[in-house]
Amino acid sequence: MGFIAGRCSAYELNNAKKAFRITISALVIHDELDTVIEPGHADRIYENLASVIRDKHVLAGGGHGDLRNRPEYQGLVNGFVERLPLDL
């Protein structure tokens, strides 16, 4: 998000730095060829999560903004939710 950060100086666009606040179950899905928000950012967010239950998938191919159109996307979301403990 570096291209817009200069225009929003009052708002820090650093999700990786803020991810330590997330304690609920978390699923991170990212496209491998995203050049707007690179996959390394998803890695940093994932590593900083405070969530005990977490999962990360970087999908081969695909660019920025097309995750929901990917055939495997809904399966990953459904699979993650189905594996959550019932007592959450």
Side-chain angles (χ1 to χ4, degrees), residues 15-68:
N15 296 327
K17 183 178 174 183
K18 296 177 181 180
F20 73 91
R21 298 179 189 164
I22 299 172
T23 59
I24 62 171
S25 302
L27 173 62
V28 176
I29 304 175
H30 204 90
D31 272 326
E32 172 187 45
L33 302 178
D34 189 337
T35 58
V36 176
I37 302 173
E38 296 179 353
H41 188 67
D43 295 336
R44 290 187 298 277
I45 289 173
Y46 179 80
E47 291 303 319
N48 290 344
L49 288 169
S51 309
V52 174
I53 299 173
R54 62 187 184 158
D55 204 357
K56 179 184 73 168
H57 297 275
V58 177
L59 304 181
H64 183 74
D66 63 355
L67 278 173
R68 292 185 181 168

